[in-house]
Amino acid sequence: MKKLAILAVAVLGTFSMVNAQTTPAAAPAKEVKAPKHEKKAHKKAKAEKTEAAKAETPKAK
């Protein structure tokens, strides 16, 4: 029984060493890019904002 335990430890140890040597290195994580904003929607919102600002400011004479 003692020989069986030693054999099991030897087999598991050998298996783990071989597995550790053949494991590929972890690939670097890819950078997550920020979502792109839609240019047309951005331009439209900017135009509306400037128009609203122009309408609110009273003209001084």
Side-chain angles (χ1 to χ4, degrees):
M1 192 67 175
K2 188 176 182 181
K3 289 182 180 180
L4 183 62
I6 293 172
L7 180 64
V9 169
V11 170
L12 290 174
T14 305
F15 177 75
S16 63
M17 285 192 297
V18 169
N19 194 20
Q21 290 178 352
T22 58
T23 303
K30 292 184 179 181
E31 292 182 21
V32 178
K33 294 183 179 178
K36 294 182 180 180
H37 63 273
E38 296 181 22
K39 290 182 181 180
K40 289 182 180 179
H42 183 68
K43 281 186 176 182
K44 186 177 180 182
K46 189 175 180 182
E48 288 176 357
K49 185 178 177 183
T50 54
E51 286 178 17
K54 286 180 185 178
E56 288 179 8
T57 55
K59 293 184 179 181
K61 288 189 178 182

